[in-house]
Amino acid sequence: MKKDLGVIGLAVMGQNLILNMAEKGYRVAAYNRTPEKTKEFLTQETPGKGEICGYFSLKDLCASLALPRKILLMVKAGPAVDQVVEELLPYLNPGDIILDGGNSHFSDTERREKQLSERGILFVGTGISGGEEGARRGPSIMPGGNREAWPHLKEILLSLAAKTDSGEPCCTWIGPGGAGHFVKMVHNGIEYGDMQLLAETWHLLRSLTSLKEEEIAETFSAWNRDNLESYLVEITAEILKTREPGGKLVLESILDSAGQKGTGLWTSAMALENYVPLTLITEAVFARNLSSLVEERRKAEGIIRGNLLSSPAPGRGLTNRGEHPKDKNQDQEMVEALGQALLCAKIISYAQGFLLMRRFSEEKNWSLEYGEIAKIWRGGCIIRSSFLNRIAEAYKRDPQIESLLLDPWFEEILYSNQPGWRLSVMRAAQFGIPTPALSSGLAFFDGYRCGRLPANLIQAQRDYFGAHTYERIDRPRGEFYHTRW
């Protein structure tokens, strides 16, 4: 019997997606360029009522598939995708569908979709979030590209996707061209911001309170409810509790150099190229870059002095830091402040991500449905959190709202939690603790709500040294003037 779907690429994500499909009752054709990998995978027990068959040539894989053929690529983003597509083409017919489930750059997806449409092949760039567990149990799926493919894919992808508590699938058609991979890229940018915010908050809890490690872990567990409830807060609490056999926290043995695969950098690059102030997410990318300078930072620690407001004193292995308070009441005040700061800055991170999506949607006529995007991020994906429901509600109230910060619910949350945010950033500055994401988020917030910024001086400077001209507040926009300074 013909197979429902082919999957090329049997790394962990590919394998888990296949097992997910088989569990849902689909017949899957599996292929990997290394035959041994295919053979090894086939030794696993097939879950559910589905079927998994391995193939050792692309010709045989394609011949096994029902028409129109549906082939999911789970290979490394970049040239490997183009190579596999070229190898597949001799065995495909017009109307067949190729899905790219990797983290491809959306511009590559747009190019491939256009080139393949000229040959009658339907190409779909499919963002998939949730990691290994999500792939196995249900990820968030963001397909976009050739719309003609969606009727053939809808049932399968909705079946594979994570489900919310109310049973809604975390998958929807995103839009044309590279829209699916673009939205996945922004998702990953928000993820960078979220992770950096959690790391900074943990750093501040260790440095500005006398809480023990177990108490800090419990603090994150307590935060994982109401507005701060999220997958990343949940796993952070688990990480902070996990110990090695000898009793030492695993976290203490991990080198403080964060890796990255590029999607956060892409998000920031797209924002910079299109004049979108994605400050918090970009600072999160820069923070990872700074963390990689391990040897330089170790050297600088012994040379560069911080002129702090209180006497420097080491604490918990952190040098060049101010002495943290020992009073339990002060500890509680700081915990409450940091909870407020984390919530506010997370809102900024999401708001900036949606700001970038709005800019691109307008420029490319994608007609992105922001409320629907928020909904499909509620389950399966890495940034799933409770206030995604609030984001969906905000766009339901006003689909054209310029920023989430203008929505009444978010405005009230930011207003009422602002004191703790400001206190946290102030304390961090006083004691020399780096908080690039928390601080840049607050600066963005204050800048966005400022009706008159000092940019008029910058325009005057540009006009002075380069005759770049300027607009006037007492004249219509679009009229430009020059002063002989």
Side-chain angles (χ1 to χ4, degrees):
M1 186 176 290
K2 294 289 186 180
K3 306 300 180 288
D4 300 304
L5 190 86
V7 177
I8 297 174
L10 298 180
V12 176
M13 284 289 289
Q15 290 187 22
N16 281 355
L17 283 169
I18 291 173
L19 294 172
N20 185 355
M21 295 173 195
E23 191 171 64
K24 301 299 191 302
Y26 292 105
R27 298 180 295 274
V28 188
Y31 172 86
N32 196 79
R33 62 184 178 85
T34 307
E36 289 73 21
K37 190 80 172 179
T38 306
K39 293 176 183 177
E40 179 185 348
F41 175 59
L42 294 175
T43 61
Q44 298 190 44
E45 183 178 349
T46 303
K49 55 186 177 181
E51 175 187 355
I52 302 172
C53 292
Y55 293 89
F56 301 95
S57 74
L58 293 178
K59 180 180 180 180
D60 290 342
L61 174 95
C62 292
S64 74
L65 298 173
L67 299 179
R69 298 178 180 89
K70 296 172 282 292
I71 302 173
L72 173 62
L73 308 185
M74 294 301 298
V75 300
K76 186 177 181 180
V81 177
D82 292 312
Q83 180 180 343
V84 174
V85 168
E86 283 299 315
E87 293 174 355
L88 280 171
L89 286 177
Y91 312 116
L92 300 181
N93 298 329
D96 288 344
I97 302 166
I98 298 176
L99 302 89
D100 176 12
N103 276 330
S104 291
H105 195 282
F106 76 95
S107 62
D108 288 335
T109 300
E110 291 189 323
R111 169 179 56 81
R112 291 166 185 145
E113 192 270 332
K114 183 178 179 180
Q115 291 174 345
L116 289 171
S117 66
E118 295 172 355
R119 305 181 65 161
I121 306 300
L122 311 182
F123 189 80
V124 178
T126 309
I128 299 175
S129 176
E132 299 173 14
E133 184 66 18
R136 180 65 183 85
R137 303 300 174 191
S140 174
I141 306 177
M142 295 154 262
N146 195 315
R147 180 73 191 228
E148 294 178 31
W150 182 232
H152 304 286
L153 300 172
K154 185 174 182 179
E155 180 182 333
I156 295 176
L157 296 184
L158 294 183
S159 174
L160 296 179
K163 308 297 185 295
T164 65
D165 292 340
S166 60
E168 297 175 89
C170 295
C171 172
T172 191
W173 182 257
I174 300 297
H181 273 140
F182 180 85
V183 168
K184 174 56 164 52
M185 179 194 76
V186 174
H187 164 284
N188 285 19
I190 295 171
E191 179 184 309
Y192 272 59
D194 259 10
M195 294 170 73
Q196 178 64 26
L197 289 170
L198 288 164
E200 291 177 15
T201 304
W202 169 68
H203 194 174
L204 289 170
L205 282 168
R206 298 182 77 222
S207 304
L208 298 180
T209 75
S210 59
L211 296 181
K212 298 177 181 177
E213 299 295 352
E214 295 80 5
E215 294 173 309
I216 293 176
E218 288 305 318
T219 297
F220 278 94
S221 294
W223 281 342
N224 190 38
R225 61 173 67 99
D226 299 326
N227 294 326
L228 271 176
E229 181 185 359
S230 71
Y231 173 71
L232 284 171
V233 173
E234 176 187 345
I235 68 169
T236 298
E238 291 301 314
I239 289 167
L240 295 175
K241 297 174 184 176
T242 305
R243 297 183 179 275
E244 296 175 340
K248 183 179 180 181
L249 286 171
V250 174
L251 191 57
E252 296 297 336
S253 299
I254 298 176
L255 183 69
D256 56 321
S257 178
Q260 53 187 310
K261 292 187 175 180
T263 47
L265 184 151
W266 293 348
T267 309
S268 296
M270 289 301 101
L272 288 167
E273 290 176 13
N274 291 273
Y275 311 104
V276 180
L278 214 72
T279 55
L280 190 153
I281 291 171
T282 300
E283 284 293 346
V285 176
F286 285 151
R288 294 197 189 191
N289 296 341
L290 180 61
S291 77
S292 69
L293 304 178
V294 178
E295 289 76 18
E296 289 183 47
R297 290 189 289 107
R298 298 288 189 270
K299 181 179 179 180
E301 184 180 43
I303 298 174
I304 302 174
R305 293 174 295 166
N307 190 4
L308 310 179
L309 293 185
S310 62
S311 58
R316 299 198 185 137
L318 302 173
T319 59
N320 295 328
R321 298 290 180 260
E323 188 172 2
H324 54 71
K326 303 295 184 181
D327 184 86
K328 285 296 180 181
N329 291 330
Q330 289 180 306
D331 281 351
Q332 186 57 37
E333 176 193 26
M334 203 65 239
V335 167
E336 292 176 3
L338 287 169
Q340 292 180 344
L342 180 59
L343 175 59
C344 289
K346 277 172 66 71
I347 290 172
I348 297 296
S349 182
Y350 282 74
Q352 289 185 354
F354 278 85
L355 184 65
L356 181 62
M357 286 192 286
R358 182 169 68 88
R359 177 68 58 86
F360 266 78
S361 182
E362 291 171 353
E363 290 185 359
K364 292 181 171 290
N365 295 315
W366 281 345
S367 300
L368 296 182
E369 296 286 344
Y370 310 112
E372 293 302 309
I373 291 170
K375 286 181 179 179
I376 68 170
W377 286 350
R378 291 177 299 172
C381 73
I382 303 301
I383 65 169
R384 58 185 184 265
S385 61
S386 62
F387 67 62
L388 283 163
N389 282 315
R390 298 292 188 175
I391 294 177
E393 291 168 4
Y395 283 109
K396 184 177 180 180
R397 281 191 289 271
D398 183 359
Q400 305 304 318
I401 194 169
E402 294 94 337
S403 170
L404 288 170
L405 307 189
L406 302 176
D407 177 78
W409 188 85
F410 286 101
E411 194 280 331
E412 175 57 34
I413 289 293
L414 289 166
Y415 177 76
S416 58
N417 288 275
Q418 230 175 103
W421 194 9
R422 296 187 185 281
L423 176 62
S424 298
V425 171
M426 180 184 71
R427 289 283 177 83
Q430 287 177 332
F431 291 97
I433 302 162
T435 55
L438 284 168
S439 300
S440 65
L442 181 58
F444 173 86
F445 172 75
D446 284 335
Y448 190 77
R449 68 185 189 85
C450 185
R452 187 160 170 81
L453 290 168
N456 51 333
L457 177 57
I458 295 172
Q459 274 305 94
Q461 293 165 340
R462 294 179 73 241
D463 188 58
Y464 188 109
F465 65 69
H468 293 294
T469 73
Y470 53 83
E471 296 173 281
R472 295 180 59 89
I473 61 174
D474 55 357
R475 294 289 187 272
R477 292 298 304 268
E479 294 183 5
F480 293 89
Y481 300 85
H482 169 61
T483 292
R484 294 180 61 86
W485 301 91

